[in-house]
Amino acid sequence: MRRLVDTLLVIAVLVAAWQVLHWVAGDALTSPAGTARRAWALMNGDTFWGHVRETGTAFGYSLGLAVIGGLAVGLTLGLNRTASSVAEPILVSVYSLPKVTLYPIILLVFGLGLSAKVAFGTIHGIVPVIIFSMNAVRKLPPIYLRAARSMRLSRLDMIRRVVVPAALPEIVSGLRIGFSLTLLGVLIGEMFASQRGLGFLIMNAIGQFDVDTMVAVILILAVVAVCANAALLALNRRLHQGAT
Amino acid sequence: MKSPHMRVVPADVHAQLAGVTRVYPAADGGPGVHALGPVDLSLRRGEFYAVIGPSGCGKSTLLDVLSGLSPPTTGEVVFEGKPVGRTVPDGIGIVFQEDASFPWLTVRDNIAFGLRQGGVDGAEIDRRTDYALAFMGLRDFARAYPPQLSGGMRQRVCIARTLVMQPRLILLDEPFGALDAQTRLIMGDELLRLWRETKATVMLITHALDEAAMLSDRIGVMSARPGLILAEIETGWSRDRDSTIASDPAFGAITSRLWSLLRAESIKAVGGSARS
């Protein structure tokens, strides 16, 4: 109950700040009420859900690849001390690299369309998933593995029943960051080289100086991202609670 | 190893180390650390054997090698007539010094953990888990998670987890090292009860003189590194003993005998001089 009140309070403050900004900035930022109206109109229009489906598809593929690939690589590296020591500085460098600089190369390789967006989303999301799951496994207390060996677990069972559950809280932290970065990657991909999707919708609105539509799409994306993040955060908190 | 006839293992020998050494290789390719041996040791079927020695003498290495957790550098390990390889053989259960309970599982799931890898059907898993919960006094905590329990309770969970596997040889590596003195006495009694009930062979690694003197049939006294068995002492306790034997005059005699053997070694281990 208290949490709910707090949350509503934060939302109220944000909306108020937005309104003030609108008064200051004028046309560059639509008012909250205007944005909500436009968002409602968009959601009842005929083209909007096509764009959502486009972005959703690209995001779904990217996230799947980032999570499955990231976990496979991260867990494997984490179980091998030498490999993870070599890989860590490389991964951290890749992580801090502004990946938008790689976009021309990706376009050349994958061409315009879904595959380029998926590739761009994946390279954004996969790195944090790798880094977090790798470090989660490296930080495991060695006694867990000794205990598992003393109970004659096979290597696969050891990973499935000990390594993954023990590392899960950390892995979920990685997934949370991977989730936002994948969405970021997909949207950037759509902004620069696409004729469909929510990223395209934003860029197109900017091109036509349709501030209402631009802010409305941003609002919808923000709501979705914040809700997803909150859900993962709640999961994360529950897992960390069990493990301390 | 003087005569090859020594290799014939008598029927009541449950596990045996012959000429076992363990050298940890140095990272820079140097001579490495000679941690253990050569050790010759026979555990009789059903006995309670304690290994006592100064800190850092290779006691834990001895347990690792005997259980198959790490291979010996030289020598041979035999359990129930078969050589021990690089895996822990079926029939050996280990309780570690550190808290090895899994915090993401309930006490009940922790205890059933080792049973849930096929071969044991669900009803049997439940039956054995219930028994272990009751035996270790954990019934009220079956649904708790280990982080909610005290150190002593968590170690009970680990013992129960080993117990359900019905090991014929139980190895304990300073299992009560992290517990306070009273809890240690109580856990010692429980260990004796478990040993009587299961009829398993028990090897307890400890650095506590009283623990070794009170619990064991035989005590192997180890030297400072590289660990060798200096002497083996028979205590002569009856099978239904418990911690009240601490007031028995024989207990004092055993303890002082142990200390006279260990004193010089302990001083060596802490780097002091043995004079005075």
Side-chain angles (χ1 to χ4, degrees):
Chain A
M1 193 58 218
R2 219 208 118 118
R3 299 256 334 247
L4 186 69
V5 173
D6 286 353
T7 311
L8 289 176
L9 213 63
V10 169
I11 292 172
V13 170
L14 282 176
V15 171
W18 181 358
Q19 182 66 49
V20 172
L21 263 178
H22 166 66
W23 284 327
V24 175
D27 280 349
L29 187 69
T30 320
S31 69
T35 306
R37 261 198 307 279
R38 184 74 190 106
W40 183 250
L42 267 178
M43 287 193 278
N44 286 313
D46 3 302
T47 53
F48 180 75
W49 292 107
H51 291 294
V52 170
R53 200 170 310 119
E54 180 73 17
T55 302
T57 309
F59 178 64
Y61 282 128
S62 309
L63 190 65
L65 285 171
V67 169
I68 294 167
L71 284 179
V73 175
L75 294 178
T76 312
L77 285 177
L79 288 168
N80 185 324
R81 198 146 282 278
T82 316
S84 56
S85 304
V86 174
E88 189 171 23
I90 301 173
L91 285 167
V92 172
S93 314
V94 173
Y95 187 50
S96 48
L97 184 80
K99 277 163 279 290
V100 71
T101 54
L102 297 175
Y103 201 41
I105 301 170
I106 285 178
L107 282 179
L108 285 176
V109 176
F110 290 94
L112 291 172
L114 185 66
S115 47
K117 286 195 274 183
V118 171
F120 202 54
T122 307
I123 60 166
H124 271 85
I126 198 167
V127 182
V129 178
I130 293 177
I131 293 178
F132 272 78
S133 48
M134 179 179 85
N135 282 332
V137 174
R138 286 173 75 182
K139 277 197 309 198
L140 284 191
I143 184 67
Y144 291 167
L145 303 183
R146 270 163 68 81
R149 282 187 62 205
S150 81
M151 288 182 276
R152 294 172 278 285
L153 261 67
S154 66
R155 192 161 171 83
L156 187 69
D157 269 348
M158 182 116 85
I159 293 172
R160 214 164 47 87
R161 299 184 61 205
V162 178
V163 173
V164 170
L168 199 59
E170 282 287 302
I171 289 175
V172 171
S173 302
L175 293 185
R176 203 161 58 80
I177 296 174
F179 182 95
S180 358
L181 287 184
T182 304
L183 185 58
L184 176 80
V186 169
L187 289 173
I188 295 176
E190 286 178 343
M191 285 180 164
F192 291 123
S194 183
Q195 295 303 309
R196 278 182 296 178
L198 295 176
F200 160 76
L201 215 55
I202 295 174
M203 278 317 261
N204 196 44
I206 295 174
Q208 298 174 2
F209 205 69
D210 181 359
V211 180
D212 287 8
T213 304
M214 185 187 80
V215 180
V217 175
I218 293 172
L219 177 70
I220 293 167
L221 278 171
V223 169
V224 171
V226 167
C227 290
N229 193 46
L232 283 168
L233 204 61
L235 177 67
N236 205 8
R237 202 172 286 128
R238 261 193 57 186
L239 289 169
H240 275 289
Q241 226 161 33
T244 45
Chain B
M1 298 292 268
K2 283 182 192 118
S3 132
H5 304 296
M6 295 277 289
R7 298 284 294 278
V8 178
V9 178
D12 72 331
V13 169
H14 200 181
Q16 194 173 36
L17 298 155
V20 165
T21 64
R22 177 82 171 121
V23 179
Y24 290 102
D28 56 2
V33 177
H34 185 180
L36 183 70
V39 167
D40 294 284
L41 175 70
S42 292
L43 298 179
R44 298 174 195 148
R45 196 175 286 274
E47 80 173 326
F48 196 125
Y49 191 97
V51 176
I52 190 162
S55 50
C57 74
K59 301 188 291 274
S60 296
T61 305
L62 181 72
L63 178 137
D64 277 13
V65 170
L66 176 54
S67 64
L69 281 175
S70 59
T73 307
T74 61
E76 204 182 15
V77 184
V78 177
F79 171 65
E80 296 184 340
K82 293 190 206 84
V84 174
R86 284 169 169 270
T87 51
V88 179
D90 185 41
I92 291 185
I94 309 173
V95 179
F96 297 97
Q97 176 177 14
E98 305 105 301
D99 173 20
S101 61
F102 297 139
W104 61 91
L105 296 175
T106 61
V107 166
R108 189 180 183 88
D109 288 337
N110 259 288
I111 294 172
F113 184 89
L115 293 172
R116 293 201 174 128
Q117 1 176 14
V120 188
D121 72 79
E124 176 67 7
I125 291 177
D126 285 345
R127 198 188 61 76
R128 288 202 213 172
T129 307
D130 286 334
Y131 175 78
L133 279 167
F135 190 89
M136 296 308 297
L138 290 165
R139 219 167 4 195
D140 295 341
F141 304 96
R143 264 182 278 198
Y145 287 87
Q148 299 168 293
L149 305 180
S150 67
M153 289 302 245
R154 284 203 294 269
Q155 197 56 288
R156 279 168 203 254
V157 174
C158 294
I159 294 173
R161 189 167 71 182
T162 304
L163 176 67
V164 291
M165 306 291 281
Q166 301 180 338
R168 299 179 294 278
L169 171 60
I170 305 174
L171 307 175
L172 303 107
D173 187 3
E174 300 193 27
F176 314 137
L179 308 179
D180 63 82
Q182 284 109 36
T183 311
R184 266 175 48 203
L185 282 175
I186 292 165
M187 294 295 281
D189 279 342
E190 305 223 336
L191 188 56
L192 283 173
R193 198 160 61 87
L194 187 150
W195 166 67
R196 273 193 295 274
E197 198 105 342
T198 60
K199 300 186 173 63
T201 310
V202 169
M203 186 175 94
L204 171 73
I205 307 266
T206 181
H207 60 256
L209 299 168
D210 54 346
E211 214 166 83
M214 186 184 303
L215 299 175
S216 343
D217 295 316
R218 279 198 303 155
I219 304 162
V221 181
M222 280 181 80
S223 67
R225 203 174 67 204
L228 303 167
I229 304 275
L230 290 176
E232 285 185 325
I233 296 173
E234 299 258 359
T235 60
W237 299 127
S238 72
R239 220 180 139 75
D240 59 356
R241 58 183 173 267
D242 60 33
S243 58
T244 56
I245 57 172
S247 54
D248 192 304
F251 175 78
I254 295 165
T255 316
S256 55
R257 172 96 196 280
L258 287 175
W259 182 232
S260 66
L261 285 162
L262 270 175
R263 186 169 173 275
E265 298 302 323
S266 300
I267 291 167
K268 253 187 252 169
V270 298
S273 96
R275 278 193 299 157
S276 90

